[in-house]
């Protein structure tokens, strides 16, 4: 059965999370967690749903960008898209007039992701599976074939391509039985948003422990004394065997990051996430090197601009 | 006299340049050179004008982004802005909800630039000078004080900051007398857009030589045989003493760039511009190293994402 895409619609959906400081961190002190929400319609009634996450203001810009991309999608057949998903990605990101607005960056990146997510969802529904199961059933090489490695085709080995898809969150190599039985490993960020009171933090942490959570992320970076107090509180509540991570959301300079995180070392965080500018690979490397003796890792890449940046990061890590 | 900003308007202005292939290159084969055009109104009647350049489709997205930024500008006094221009830049790029859409990248970058250009223009008009004269009259340290070096304040020496502003096109150190007498050094790209016929190319080149142009840029990267024929033609017309540059607009992988440009070495281009992904600093470094023995430089940075990327590029160059 063929599935012709006949319509792409997008909605600006906002949630007033800032009212109670849900989602707040050192850089985003009053976020209204929101989304540009895409629905794809096909001629046979099947639909695909996708979105990307925004923080409130400006969601209308992403909506506007999705509307501009829609013209590249309407009229396509799902079968043609999935038989050359890499080509479809390149079609969306290489339009001769629109690529100037990225390429593959910022608003255009977010809008492209919302459309692609909806197409992946449509694909899974057409196969009669949830998306995770579609991915699990794919051969790793099939997944690699969906990704556009433009610019680095020559430099990327097959092994690196597989590391890439693993880093990007594809879990095709996790044992499916285990996943169905025990669930997928995850941590919670919901206990310790930066704007929460100590009282709320204690209550949410108690609830999360009761629900079986073992890994907890805490937002840091606005005020060192506050961070010390909050990390001490969380560590006391979760005990030494559970895991604590911290996240500064790009708040610091490189030197500041090293000094600040060193002051929190006694609480044994597994990693500091996004200590500095997301564009500064070498800055992250310097922070990573300085914190290694303290047993604290550096997490980044929530925003990776381009596969070539991933490749250089990977090569740098391999050469340490 | 105070100047309070009372309104920011933006227009979507398009020119059908693709009809005659003006502006065409290897990646942008049918551009409609266009602009998001900003006008700032003040309570005393003074206006500021600014824009950023787009290629047609999607200009409405940049317009939408300018409208979202306008709320941060209306109500401000020009005097307050120019007394802390760095702070004003940070205000526009650090909004707790909107920075998620960049930060400082793509559509948001373009929209911010259009607004900032209009504010610079307003400043110059308030001083009763053209903008170049406002810049010439500023102390280099004053110019540096206008730029947000967030994330790299610790790592950036004053000398590097001055190199930065020179690279960014501020010409405060050119002798003003000479500039008024002889004009500002420039090259022309208008003779050799990729979609032009050889006949048109010859005609435009003849006209440009008559008008006194000595430096000519040629678009390359779609077809090697075409590039050889066109570069030979231009080099024959301009002779050995004038300057030829070539520009691939991000068309190649790294290895492909080295091989392709080597095939054009006999025409003695001064540089190859944007041979590969604008995000790939190390890729550009590899191309630069490979082409140095042929006497061909590499130009990039038309799209520099962030000051930290500039800093790393600068450090890399200094360590060669």
């Amino acid at each position: 059965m063929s599935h012709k895409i006949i319509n792409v619609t997008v909605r600006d959906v906002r949630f007033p999370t800032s009212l109670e400081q849900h989602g707040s961190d050192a850089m985003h002190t009053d976020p209204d967690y929101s989304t540009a929400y895409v629905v794809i319609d096909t001629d046979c009634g099947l639909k695909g749903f996708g979105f990307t996450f925004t923080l409130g203001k400006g969601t209308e810009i992403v909506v506007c960008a999705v509307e501009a991309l829609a013209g590249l999608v309407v009229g396509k057949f799902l079968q043609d898209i999935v038989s050359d998903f890499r080509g479809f990605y390149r079609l969306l990101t290489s339009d001769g007039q629109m690529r100037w607005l990225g390429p593959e960056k910022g608003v255009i990146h977010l809008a492209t992701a919302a459309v692609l997510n909806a197409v992946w969802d449509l694909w899974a529904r057409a196969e009669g599976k949830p998306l995770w199961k579609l991915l699990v059933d794919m051969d790793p090489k099939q997944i690699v074939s969906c990704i556009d490695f433009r610019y680095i085709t020559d430099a990327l080995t097959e092994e690196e391509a597989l590391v890439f898809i693993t880093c990007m969150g594809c879990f095709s190599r996790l044992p499916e039985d285990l996943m169905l039985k025990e669930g997928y490993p995850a941590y919670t960020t919901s206990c310790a948003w930066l704007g929460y009171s100590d009282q709320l933090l204690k209550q949410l942490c108690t609830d999360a422990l009761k629900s079986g959570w073992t890994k907890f992320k805490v937002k840091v970076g606005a005020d060192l004394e506050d961070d010390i107090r909050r990390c001490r509180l969380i560590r006391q509540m979760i005990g030494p065997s559970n895991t604590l991570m911290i996240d500064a959301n790009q708040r610091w300079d490189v030197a500041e990051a090293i000094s600040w995180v060193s002051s929190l070392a006694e609480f044994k965080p597994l990693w500091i996430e996004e200590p500095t500018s997301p564009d500064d690979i070498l800055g992250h490397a310097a922070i990573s090197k300085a914190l290694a003796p303290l047993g604290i890792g550096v997490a980044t890449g929530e925003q990776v601009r381009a596969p070539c940046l991933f490749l250089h990061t990977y090569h740098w890590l391999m050469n340490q």
Side-chain angles (χ1 to χ4, degrees), chain A:
Chain A
M1 191 180 179
S2 79
H3 302 284
K4 185 178 179 180
I5 293 173
I6 56 168
N7 204 14
V8 175
T9 50
V10 55
R11 290 190 187 85
D12 181 337
V13 184
R14 307 203 188 187
F15 302 93
T17 57
S18 63
L19 291 178
E20 299 183 55
Q21 288 282 293
H22 307 311
S24 57
D25 63 50
M27 290 298 264
H28 314 96
T29 50
D30 61 346
D32 287 329
Y33 273 31
S34 302
T35 176
Y37 194 89
V38 172
V39 181
I40 293 180
D41 287 295
T42 62
D43 58 350
C44 58
L46 196 73
K47 290 169 185 283
F49 304 88
F51 67 90
T52 40
F53 165 66
T54 53
L55 297 194
K57 266 167 78 180
T59 307
E60 74 278 10
I61 309 170
V62 183
V63 165
C64 184
V66 169
E67 286 167 349
L69 291 171
L72 300 171
V73 182
V74 172
K76 295 271 181 305
F77 286 89
L78 177 64
Q79 286 76 352
D80 294 336
I81 291 173
V82 303
S83 68
D84 179 20
F85 209 98
R86 177 180 288 175
F88 178 66
Y89 175 86
R90 197 172 285 195
L91 176 83
L92 290 189
T93 55
S94 303
D95 179 88
Q97 297 195 346
M98 278 204 289
R99 79 181 291 282
W100 185 261
L101 306 178
E104 298 165 72
K105 267 162 219 82
V107 168
I108 286 290
H109 205 177
L110 292 166
T112 306
V115 172
L116 288 172
N117 286 345
V119 172
W120 275 101
D121 184 61
L122 181 67
W123 185 1
R125 287 168 192 270
E127 300 280 334
K129 300 172 181 180
L131 180 53
W132 70 265
K133 178 67 174 154
L134 176 73
L135 287 167
V136 162
D137 289 345
M138 284 170 88
D139 182 82
K141 283 190 187 174
Q142 275 182 290
I143 299 183
V144 168
S145 79
C146 295
I147 301 172
D148 182 18
F149 289 110
R150 172 155 218 169
Y151 290 126
I152 56 170
T153 315
D154 294 344
L156 194 76
T157 66
E158 188 174 328
E159 184 208 346
E160 286 168 343
L162 289 174
V163 172
F164 186 91
I165 62 167
T166 309
C167 291
M168 292 291 107
C170 299
F171 36 81
S172 63
R173 290 177 151 205
L174 278 192
E176 189 179 339
D177 293 349
L178 196 70
M179 207 160 66
L180 285 168
K181 196 173 144 207
E182 300 195 358
Y184 191 70
Y187 63 76
T188 177
T189 315
S190 301
C191 299
W193 297 112
L194 201 79
Y196 281 0
S197 68
D198 288 3
Q199 192 188 350
L200 181 57
L201 196 145
K202 272 192 236 179
Q203 180 203 314
L204 292 171
C205 198
T206 304
D207 296 347
L209 284 164
K210 276 189 198 151
S211 307
W213 289 98
T214 58
K215 300 177 178 70
F216 300 78
K217 198 162 83 176
V218 179
K219 297 289 181 178
V220 298
D223 181 278
L224 181 57
E225 289 312 311
D226 279 349
D227 291 349
I228 290 172
R229 192 187 71 252
R230 289 154 49 85
C231 285
R232 175 169 293 130
L233 184 61
I234 299 265
R235 179 50 85 192
Q236 281 169 350
M237 292 197 67
I238 68 176
S241 61
N242 285 321
T243 304
L244 176 74
M245 303 94 135
I246 53 177
D247 185 355
N249 292 82
Q250 314 170 10
R251 184 62 162 75
W252 302 309
D253 291 355
V254 172
E256 194 181 14
I258 295 167
S259 146
W260 197 299
V261 176
S262 299
S263 302
L264 300 173
E266 63 177 298
F267 310 112
K268 304 209 175 303
L270 178 65
W271 75 54
I272 171 65
E273 184 170 334
E274 287 207 313
T276 189
S277 164
D279 303 310
D280 193 355
I281 293 175
L282 297 180
H284 280 90
I287 296 167
S288 173
K289 205 169 178 179
L291 296 179
L294 299 173
I296 304 171
V298 171
T300 184
E302 180 168 352
Q303 302 182 3
V304 170
R305 222 67 51 203
C308 64
L309 292 187
F310 161 78
L311 184 70
H312 295 318
T313 309
Y314 178 79
H315 284 164
W316 179 85
L317 285 170
M318 290 301 105
N319 289 326
Q320 289 309 293

